[in-house]
């Protein structure tokens, strides 16, 4: 067999990102099994991983992990390029942009919970804008804003607390 | 259990409380702003089937409507309206009291006068509901 002329050597960075993205994908798939009353309201457990990556390795890695999670997660769930995938992508992009700004807040005062709540609100914001422009071109979608906002507050708090808790302990399984 | 709760609370930094308070107030404000449907802003008074007066619901005023039996007095206050007095025998429209929702109607049939609130997101009126 002719030896391949292209050889991709994964760096330590690549391996770490792949490992963290895998953790996020597992959470996405596990979460899909939870029955939820409203489409669009999800705990977003994978964001716990994004928050930890952001705090430990910075924004670039967080973007990689989050976007790999969106693509691979929807591929596994059979949702790739379905409306739900684009909503998820829009939400992720919005929350990554917000995290990029919010991470510069003073760490002493604003912990993972703040970042998580900001990201959750940006996520519903991005989703709603896309939904309004493309899927439901009617102001009726905004009728659900209070429900989404409450969900973002609650799940943002919970995810942020879990991320903060996990970062309290010693680093393990990541090099 | 209390010890477990405090374990979580220490993870919250001062700014986090601020952000949470902001998030909760955003929830409440958006609910108040978006779910206010049915707040009326106009009063329509009809006499003998024709529109007698159509006015805003912002300032207090009294409208006197003449009918076959006499004068029906309609009282308007900010956000609500009622039939204050009517010459009809059974006084149904007077006893209905203040109308506050969009689509609400009070009818003084003997004197051929009706009062209804309009505006906002009126899904139904109180006759057809």
């Amino acid at each position: 067999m002719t030896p391949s002329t292209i050889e991709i050597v994964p760096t330590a960075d690549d391996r770490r990102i792949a490992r963290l993205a895998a953790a996020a994908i597992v959470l996405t798939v596990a979460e899909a099994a939870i029955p939820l009353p409203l489409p669009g309201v999800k705990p977003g457990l994978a964001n716990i991983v994004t928050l930890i990556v952001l705090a430990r390795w910075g924004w670039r890695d967080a973007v990689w992990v989050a976007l790999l999670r969106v693509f691979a997660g929807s591929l596994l769930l059979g949702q790739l390029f379905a409306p739900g995938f684009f909503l998820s992508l829009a939400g992720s992009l919005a929350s990554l942009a917000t995290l990029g700004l919010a991470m510069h807040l003073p760490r002493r005062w604003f912990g993972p919970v703040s970042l998580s709540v900001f990201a959750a609100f940006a996520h519903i914001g991005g989703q709603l804008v896309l939904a309004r422009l493309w899927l439901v071109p009617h102001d009726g979608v905004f009728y659900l804003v209070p429900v989404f906002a409450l969900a973002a507050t609650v799940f943002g708090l919970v995810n942020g607390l879990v991320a903060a808790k996990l970062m309290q302990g010693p680093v393990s399984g990541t090099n | 259990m209390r010890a477990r709760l405090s374990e979580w609370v220490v993870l919250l930094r001062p700014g986090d409380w601020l952000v949470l308070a902001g998030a909760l107030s955003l929830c409440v404000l958006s609910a108040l702003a978006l779910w206010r449907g049915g707040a009326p802003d106009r009063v329509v008074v009809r006499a003998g089937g024709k529109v007698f007066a159509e006015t805003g619901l912002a300032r207090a005023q009294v409208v006197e409507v003449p009918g076959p039996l006499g004068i029906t007095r309609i009282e308007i206050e900010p956000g609500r309206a009622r039939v204050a007095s009517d010459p009809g025998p059974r006084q149904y429209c007077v006893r209905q009291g203040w109308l506050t929702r969009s689509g609400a109607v009070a009818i003084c049939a003997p004197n051929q006068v009706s009062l209804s609130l309009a505006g906002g997101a009126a899904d139904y009126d109180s006759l057809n509901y």
Side-chain angles (χ1 to χ4, degrees), chain A residues 118-163:
Chain A
F118 280 132
F121 269 89
H123 203 281
I124 57 161
Q127 276 183 329
L128 274 172
V129 168
L130 185 70
R132 172 66 184 81
L133 291 177
W134 176 43
L135 292 174
V136 190
H138 182 266
D139 282 336
V141 284
F142 295 118
Y143 193 71
L144 287 174
V145 163
V147 177
F148 290 147
L150 189 65
T153 310
V154 172
F155 294 134
L157 171 65
V158 171
N159 290 347
L161 283 175
V162 172

Side-chain angles (χ1 to χ4, degrees), chain B residues 30-93:
Chain B
S30 64
L32 288 180
L34 294 164
W35 291 353
R36 211 175 46 92
D41 58 7
R42 269 182 310 119
V43 183
V44 180
V45 180
R46 286 188 179 82
K50 293 191 181 64
V51 174
F52 175 81
E54 193 168 348
T55 171
L57 201 49
R59 66 185 179 87
Q61 56 181 313
V62 173
V63 180
E64 300 202 328
V65 193
L69 301 184
I71 301 273
T72 298
R73 239 164 39 85
I74 285 167
E75 200 178 340
I76 299 167
E77 280 191 4
R80 58 184 195 166
R82 68 169 174 174
V83 178
S85 70
D86 177 69
R90 283 171 293 273
Q91 302 284 305
Y92 289 137
C93 56

Side-chain angles (χ1 to χ4, degrees), chain B residues 16-39:
Chain B
D16 294 343
W17 290 106
L18 210 68
V19 170
L20 283 173
L24 277 177
S25 48
L26 202 65
C27 295
V28 173
L29 286 178
S30 64
L32 288 180
L34 294 164
W35 291 353
R36 211 175 46 92

Side-chain angles (χ1 to χ4, degrees), chain A:
Chain A
M1 200 176 83
T2 328
S4 171
T5 50
I6 306 168
E7 196 165 337
I8 300 171
V9 182
T11 63
D13 265 10
D14 296 339
R15 291 179 193 280
R16 192 188 62 230
I17 287 172
R19 193 179 295 126
L20 291 162
I25 292 161
V26 166
L27 286 175
T28 304
V29 174
E31 182 179 271
I34 304 173
L36 290 158
L38 254 183
V41 175
K42 279 201 292 183
L45 298 175
N47 297 322
I48 296 169
V49 180
T50 311
L51 286 170
I52 294 174
V53 174
L54 183 75
R56 287 256 157 87
W57 293 285
W59 190 67
R60 203 191 69 96
D61 284 20
V63 172
W64 267 111
V65 169
L67 292 183
L68 280 172
R69 195 271 298 172
V70 170
F71 277 90
S74 59
L75 190 61
L76 283 174
L77 296 172
Q79 291 281 322
L80 192 61
F81 302 129
F85 161 79
F86 288 105
L87 289 178
S88 177
L89 185 63
S92 292
L93 290 174
S95 67
L96 285 169
T98 307
L99 283 175
L101 296 174
M103 66 184 291
H104 299 298
L105 287 168
R107 289 271 173 110
R108 213 176 107 71
W109 300 98
F110 296 94
V113 173
S114 290
L115 294 184
S116 176
V117 171
F118 280 132
F121 269 89
H123 203 281
I124 57 161
Q127 276 183 329
L128 274 172
V129 168
L130 185 70
R132 172 66 184 81
L133 291 177
W134 176 43
L135 292 174
V136 190
H138 182 266
D139 282 336
V141 284
F142 295 118
Y143 193 71
L144 287 174
V145 163
V147 177
F148 290 147
L150 189 65
T153 310
V154 172
F155 294 134
L157 171 65
V158 171
N159 290 347
L161 283 175
V162 172
K165 190 85 176 168
L166 289 175
M167 283 190 281
Q168 254 186 345
V171 193
S172 61
T174 51
N175 16 335

